[in-house]
Amino acid sequence: MRREKRRSGKRRRNEQSKESNRAIKELIKLMGRNRDRLHDSMTAEQQETLEKYDDCVNEMYGLIELEIFSYAFRLGGRLMLATLMDSGEDA
């Protein structure tokens, strides 16, 4: 039961962050179905290993998203600064 809640929560978070893109939503659904089929065909030990793998992948995706946000924020700041400096020279 705990595993089901945790897994569905992860999927729900991913779907929310990509809601605007139908193709991504469809891929997430397909990945979930395939993962569930794979999980159901595994032994308990293999299922535990798969869950640990899922945890690592989700943590990695979170770190990647943080890096992307950080880079985009800095880039936006640089573009804003460059625009302000250019408009100051035109005055």
Side-chain angles (χ1 to χ4, degrees), residues 33-43 47 50:
R33 282 194 307 265
N34 288 335
R35 191 216 175 275
D36 290 343
R37 285 180 38 209
L38 178 63
H39 183 271
D40 293 343
S41 70
M42 296 176 148
T43 66
Q47 289 174 356
L50 180 61

Side-chain angles (χ1 to χ4, degrees), residues 66-79:
L66 181 61
E67 286 296 316
I68 290 170
F69 175 81
S70 178
Y71 172 78
F73 191 82
R74 287 190 310 268
L75 179 61
R78 279 188 245 140
L79 291 171

Side-chain angles (χ1 to χ4, degrees), residues 2-87:
R2 182 174 165 233
R3 182 183 58 79
E4 287 301 319
K5 284 184 182 178
R6 197 172 74 210
R7 270 199 1 230
S8 64
K10 289 178 185 174
R11 258 189 254 147
R12 194 169 35 251
R13 182 180 68 224
N14 289 340
E15 286 178 345
Q16 288 172 354
S17 67
K18 311 290 190 273
E19 239 177 67
S20 62
N21 192 324
R22 181 178 292 176
I24 291 175
K25 285 176 69 173
E26 290 301 315
L27 285 172
I28 289 172
K29 287 179 189 177
L30 179 61
M31 288 170 60
R33 282 194 307 265
N34 288 335
R35 191 216 175 275
D36 290 343
R37 285 180 38 209
L38 178 63
H39 183 271
D40 293 343
S41 70
M42 296 176 148
T43 66
E45 185 179 342
Q46 290 170 328
Q47 289 174 356
E48 186 177 326
T49 302
L50 180 61
E51 289 175 21
K52 289 177 182 178
Y53 171 81
D54 287 343
D55 290 342
C56 289
V57 167
N58 285 323
E59 186 174 343
M60 181 187 68
Y61 285 149
L63 293 172
I64 289 170
E65 288 176 3
L66 181 61
E67 286 296 316
I68 290 170
F69 175 81
S70 178
Y71 172 78
F73 191 82
R74 287 190 310 268
L75 179 61
R78 279 188 245 140
L79 291 171
M80 189 171 52
L81 183 60
T83 301
L84 291 172
M85 292 182 77
D86 286 344
S87 66

